[in-house]
Amino acid sequence: MTLWSGRFSSGMGDGLWDLSESYSFDHVLYAFDILGSKAHVEGLVHAGLVTKEEGIAIVAALDEVLAEFTAGRFERATSDEDIHMAIERRVIELAGDVGAKLHSARSRNDQVATTFRLFTMSAIHRIVDATLELVDVLVAIGERNDAVYLPGYTHLQRAQPILLSHHLNAHAWSLLRDVDRLLDARERMNVSPLGAGALAGTSLAIDPSFVADLLGFDSAFANSLDAVSDRDFVAEALFDVAMLGVHLSRMGEELVLWTTAEFNFATLGDAFTTGSSMLPQKKNSDVAELARAKSGRLVGNLTGLLVMLKGLPLAYNRDLQEDKEPLFDSVRQVLMVLAAMSGAYESMTFHADVAASAADDQYLVAIDIAEELVGEGVPFRQAHEQVGRLVGEAVSSGRALRDVVAESPAFERFVGLFDPGVALRRRRSPGSSGPVSAGAQSARLSAARQRAGERLVAAISAAPDVEPRDP
Ligand code: ARG
């Protein structure tokens, strides 16, 4: 028998049950749902709809249900359609008639919206934490290797020399933007839908702000229809995770390239590579390939949710039940990738000599000659043209650019620019890739990292203390 059986003469058809039930995936929300229910009970007592003693009895039953879940001994009844009904059914079993008061002035519609917001905020804390850990790993590698440099690329063609720290910090900056976006989204979703009822609120004298406060939300909803139908928070979280996933995929692709024999800039530790079942010599950077690949499903989860939401009439529609699995999947996947990428970078040996000799490629000095000419007053377009001619001469004659420059009376004074590391040290404009501006950048980066960390700590300490289960 279901909790709504009063109006129905038959149970659900078999096919409908499988389609309809969501317990199989939403049971992981139990801790957040119970937390929301306990606040709701306090709200009912506050409103005088439940006596203090009744409230204590219902909360005790909810605590017992939580203990059953935590210990892995909660038993699903065949009629439990979702986590919300399973918990309520069990509360009624444990507390008797008084348990049947739990759902007063509440609908599953405002209940699920509340539970899912609490889950999403908590998931954001975990993702932000893991992202900041990766930022720290990247920054630490740069700091340990502060003289190491490599070629920077455009069009995947060698362009200009850059410090390894500058390169890894570029990834760190993008990850810090992801963190900011996630915490911004968390601030926006910090509104309690509890008390919106099915869609229009209730005739009972409840106070949504009271329960919002108990649950650590900044405020309660202003519009009950919006409260139960809004899934912007899921879409935003999915976008932010997809964007993070795209960043991770670009980093993954780079590690794949760096660890090829062709680049040979880096080797990953054995623990972060795999062998081949056939070719004994193989050492594959699967971790980086999977980081690259996972972004596909993260984008897919976002797309699926947006398409599901599109065109839904107000307010709650059962379609909204399809909001859970995409988010669960994205959270699970991105946490795995973040942990694996942190480990992979930590295990990485960077081949400074190989990277430096690639970065000391003489053609990368061409811009420095042109810039020297600009410093002497030559208009840049003319300087570009003159150096371009030197490069053309070197390429067509098969001689080294350095020799062409050394043998040309008009340019020989620039030959010292070809010495190893010189081009790198000349990059000195603010935010550039050389050692002169590295200090200022790392001060800004560590300030931004610290701010992000403080934001996370503030968010966690404002949130209810729930031990989340992995989705
Ligand atoms: N399992 C449902 C969901 O995730 C709960 C809400 C059901 N509400 C309803 N009116 N059928 O959305």
Side-chain angles (χ1 to χ4, degrees):
M1 205 176 72
T2 59
L3 292 173
W4 63 67
S5 57
R7 190 214 176 284
F8 288 82
S9 56
S10 75
M12 241 184 239
D14 284 349
L16 175 54
W17 179 255
D18 289 345
L19 179 65
S20 177
E21 76 82 31
S22 56
Y23 183 94
S24 54
F25 53 86
D26 67 17
H27 66 272
V28 297
L29 297 171
Y30 68 83
F32 298 100
D33 203 63
I34 290 172
L35 186 79
S37 286
K38 286 169 72 171
H40 180 65
V41 172
E42 287 198 47
L44 292 176
V45 173
H46 183 70
L49 295 165
V50 159
T51 66
K52 215 172 165 141
E53 294 65 41
E54 288 173 332
I56 289 170
I58 304 173
V59 167
L62 283 163
D63 279 334
E64 171 55 21
V65 178
L66 181 62
E68 289 179 3
F69 269 107
T70 312
R73 56 183 163 82
F74 182 87
E75 279 176 36
R76 180 190 184 180
T78 48
S79 60
D80 291 341
E81 186 185 52
D82 59 21
I83 183 61
H84 322 291
M85 304 204 83
I87 292 169
E88 191 191 345
R89 186 259 315 149
R90 184 71 183 131
V91 165
I92 294 170
E93 277 173 16
L94 290 167
D97 277 352
V98 68
K101 293 198 170 189
L102 167 60
H103 211 54
S104 318
R106 187 176 74 171
S107 156
R108 267 189 300 159
N109 299 352
D110 57 341
Q111 183 182 357
V112 68
T114 306
T115 297
F116 205 32
R117 274 178 196 248
L118 291 170
F119 168 85
T120 307
M121 288 193 282
S122 156
I124 284 177
H125 300 160
R126 294 175 69 188
I127 296 167
V128 166
D129 190 46
T131 307
L132 290 178
E133 194 178 318
L134 179 53
V135 167
D136 293 343
V137 168
L138 294 170
V139 170
I141 295 172
E143 281 170 356
R144 277 201 303 274
N145 300 279
D146 62 349
V148 172
Y149 60 104
L150 71 160
Y153 295 81
T154 61
H155 315 273
L156 205 51
Q157 307 284 339
R158 287 177 191 167
Q160 292 186 282
I162 57 178
L163 283 173
L164 178 63
S165 61
H166 191 68
H167 189 105
L168 296 177
N169 287 353
H171 293 312
W173 283 112
S174 68
L175 296 174
L176 285 176
R177 283 194 299 279
D178 293 319
V179 163
D180 261 348
R181 257 189 294 272
L182 283 159
L183 292 173
D184 291 349
R186 184 218 179 269
E187 266 175 35
R188 250 187 312 282
M189 73 181 70
N190 199 3
V191 178
S192 171
L194 198 55
L199 75 164
T202 166
S203 63
L204 299 167
I206 55 161
D207 179 1
S209 306
F210 178 81
V211 289
D213 218 41
L214 289 179
L215 289 170
F217 284 110
D218 276 347
S219 60
F221 65 96
N223 180 306
S224 62
L225 282 181
D226 184 41
V228 290
S229 59
D230 170 24
R231 292 295 183 276
D232 296 6
F233 68 99
V234 189
E236 280 197 59
L238 284 174
F239 170 78
D240 295 347
V241 171
M243 191 72 244
L244 170 57
V246 166
H247 290 143
L248 292 166
S249 82
R250 296 175 70 170
M251 294 161 73
E253 165 62 5
E254 182 176 281
L255 287 181
V256 169
L257 284 174
W258 281 5
T259 55
T260 56
E262 285 70 16
F263 268 82
N264 193 29
F265 284 1
T267 311
L268 294 181
D270 282 358
F272 287 91
T273 50
T274 59
S276 156
S277 59
M278 176 173 168
L279 309 174
Q281 85 281 12
K282 290 300 293 290
K283 181 168 165 170
N284 299 326
S285 302
D286 296 32
V287 61
E289 292 172 293
L290 287 165
R292 189 174 58 188
K294 293 288 189 187
S295 58
R297 68 198 272 180
L298 300 179
V299 173
N301 288 336
L302 169 64
T303 311
L305 181 94
L306 289 173
V307 175
M308 180 276 282
L309 290 175
K310 176 196 156 299
L312 282 188
L314 291 175
Y316 180 84
N317 299 271
R318 195 57 181 279
D319 311 49
L320 292 176
Q321 179 168 291
E322 292 287 307
D323 61 356
K324 315 272 168 344
E325 285 166 293
L327 189 69
F328 290 162
D329 185 59
S330 286
V331 170
R332 198 184 310 124
Q333 300 300 326
V334 86
L335 286 173
M336 275 193 303
V337 174
L338 285 165
M341 286 293 270
S342 288
Y345 276 107
E346 252 163 5
S347 80
M348 178 177 81
T349 308
F350 196 79
H351 305 152
D353 49 337
V354 179
S357 75
D360 288 326
D361 178 331
Q362 45 173 329
Y363 288 114
L364 272 53
V365 174
I367 182 65
D368 290 278
I369 301 173
E371 287 182 354
E372 278 292 297
L373 290 168
V374 167
E376 293 173 0
V378 178
F380 179 72
R381 276 292 147 234
Q382 289 172 20
H384 187 287
E385 174 70 22
Q386 289 174 24
V387 180
R389 254 186 266 124
L390 291 174
V391 171
E393 204 180 312
V395 171
S396 61
S397 67
R399 282 183 304 153
L401 179 62
R402 188 185 196 285
D403 296 342
V404 173
V405 168
E407 288 157 24
S408 151
F411 296 101
E412 59 169 355
R413 66 187 179 285
F414 300 131
V415 79
L417 295 175
F418 287 90
D419 292 344
V422 169
L424 173 81
R425 287 194 289 279
R426 289 171 50 83
R427 318 252 78 74
R428 63 170 76 88
S429 56
S432 65
S433 64
V436 176
S437 54
Q441 177 181 183
S442 85
R444 277 177 74 174
L445 185 61
S446 74
R449 159 66 180 90
Q450 170 142 4
R451 262 198 313 279
E454 285 163 6
R455 255 187 111 181
L456 174 62
V457 170
I460 292 173
S461 56
D465 193 14
V466 174
E467 196 56 55
R469 256 215 52 189
D470 282 338

